Structure formats: structure tokens, C-alpha cells
Amino acid sequence: MSLFSVFDPTSYFMLPLNWMIMLFVLIFFPMKYYLIESGFFLMFKSVFVGVSKVFKDVSMPNYIGLNFVVTMTFLYLVINNLLGLFPFVFTGTAHPVINLGFGVVLWMSFFIMGWTKNFMNSAAHLVPEGAPMMLAPLMVIIESISHLIRPFTLSIRLAANMMAGHLIVGLLSSISTISFLGFSSSLILQNILLVLEFGVAVIQGFVFSILLLLYALEYY
């Protein structure tokens, strides 16, 4: 062993592990250094920024994290709804169980956080402003029930609207085998309904997200 042997490359377990440090340096480079933004990513980014601005007008700049959660919820629901427009594709948002699991988890998290963070403000919503004090106990029961059924109304509304369009398309397709006139009219009506379903897919995702945001702001 000489004084300069520390500069000699050594191997452990028959592997040149000492050279691994050359690769570890690359970990500290930001990912944008390696990636080039594609057209799809730029389109998704522009849609995300535009939708985020719409929700930011409602949530105000103080709730950046809440705005991000609601925006991603909107994009997730819209993509799922649009996938259901393709033939032989069953979207999860057309099933009430999936929507209930999605809506209950988000609503419950906002509900618990609101009551633990700001108990007085959340409790004040149980009695509407200007209500007679004699009716306060009854109003508390009614408002509590209305608060508890919110995730169910969110989920059932989304599932019903997504399922209704598919059922109508199925009924229209059944008349295409009757005659040539039935086939032509069925084809035209299904194309019109497909455009309508495209709008419904976007609108229902927005309704679910904006109502979820309003409920969260009410508890906050």
C-alpha cells in the first residue's frame, strides 16, 4: 500500500461500484433538463391553467391547495367521462359505487378538516341567518341531513347523467335494424346525441368539482 493508493479504482463484489458516483451526479439535475414539452403536454398545461383560473375566482387566492385538488378532480372526471363515449368502453363515473367512493372521500376530508379547524364557523351554518330561535333545533336537524346527503347527491347526479345518455343511444340504435329510414334517422340522431354527450361529460365534471369546492369553502 502506497500513499497514493487511495486514488486507484477499486471494486466491491466484483462490480465497479466506485464509478457509480458518475451516475449519481445526474440525479441532482432537474427533470426539465432531460425532457422536451410535447404538444400534448402543452395542450394539457394550457387546459389546466385555464380551468385553475376559473376555480381560483371562486376559491380566492388563499386556497391554492384546495384549488389544485378541485382542478385535478375536474380533469380526472372529464377524462373518464370522455372515455365512456368510445364504443365498448365502460367508464367508472357511470357507476354509482365509484362515484360514491370518490365523492365521500373528498367531502369527508373537507368536512372533518372544516369542523376541526374552524368549529364555530362550521356550526353556524347549521342555523340559517335570520331563523327564529324557536325553530333552531329543527333547523339544525334539517341542515345536518342536507349536509350528510351532499356526497350522495353529487355521486348520483354524475352517475345518472352519464348513464342516461348511454341508454338513449342504445334505444336509438335498436331502431336501425327496422328499415333503411330507421337506420338513417338512428344514425343522425346518434351523431347529434354524441355531440350532446360530449358537452354533458364536460359539464358534469365541472358541476361535480364546483359543488365540491363550494362545500369545502363553506366548511372552511
Side-chain angles (χ1 to χ4, degrees):
M1 298 294 290
S2 64
L3 181 63
F4 297 97
S5 63
V6 294
F7 298 104
D8 295 334
T10 56
S11 300
Y12 300 94
F13 307 107
M14 303 300 294
L15 295 174
L17 300 178
N18 53 319
W19 296 109
M20 293 292 291
I21 191 63
M22 303 298 295
L23 298 177
F24 277 108
V25 176
L26 302 178
I27 298 177
F28 297 97
F29 280 76
M31 289 299 296
K32 287 187 177 181
Y33 184 80
Y34 305 101
L35 302 178
I36 299 177
E37 295 182 351
S38 61
F40 176 77
F41 179 79
L42 292 176
M43 182 187 69
F44 185 85
K45 185 178 179 180
S46 61
V47 172
F48 179 84
V49 172
V51 174
S52 180
K53 287 182 179 179
V54 174
F55 290 119
K56 188 179 293 184
D57 294 337
V58 181
S59 62
M60 300 176 294
N62 300 327
Y63 302 101
I64 299 177
L66 181 61
N67 185 30
F68 177 79
V69 171
V70 176
T71 303
M72 292 306 298
T73 301
F74 169 77
L75 294 176
Y76 179 82
L77 292 176
V78 168
I79 293 174
N80 272 278
N81 294 341
L82 293 178
L83 288 176
L85 300 180
F86 290 93
F88 307 105
V89 176
F90 179 79
T91 177
T93 54
H95 203 289
V97 175
I98 302 298
N99 296 335
L100 279 174
F102 196 65
V104 169
V105 169
L106 290 175
W107 174 85
M108 186 64 71
S109 61
F110 297 146
F111 181 82
I112 295 175
M113 185 176 294
W115 279 85
T116 55
K117 181 181 178 181
N118 195 348
F119 179 81
M120 297 298 294
N121 186 33
S122 299
H125 288 291
L126 297 179
V127 180
E129 186 178 358
M133 293 302 297
M134 295 182 62
L135 297 178
L138 181 61
M139 297 300 297
V140 169
I141 297 175
I142 295 175
E143 289 295 322
S144 299
I145 295 174
S146 66
H147 281 250
L148 292 176
I149 65 174
R150 281 178 174 180
F152 299 96
T153 57
L154 281 174
S155 305
I156 299 302
R157 181 191 297 110
L158 178 59
N161 282 279
M162 296 308 301
M163 186 63 71
H166 292 72
L167 292 176
I168 297 176
V169 171
L171 292 174
L172 290 175
S173 62
S174 62
I175 66 175
S176 60
T177 58
I178 298 176
S179 62
F180 179 76
L181 180 61
F183 174 79
S184 302
S185 59
S186 175
L187 183 63
I188 295 174
L189 291 176
Q190 287 186 65
N191 288 327
I192 296 175
L193 191 61
L194 182 64
V195 177
L196 179 62
E197 282 296 301
F198 182 86
V200 170
V202 178
I203 292 173
Q204 288 304 314
F206 180 78
V207 169
F208 188 97
S209 303
I210 195 68
L211 288 178
L212 195 66
L213 176 60
L214 293 176
Y215 296 157
L217 291 176
E218 185 176 343
Y219 297 134
Y220 279 69

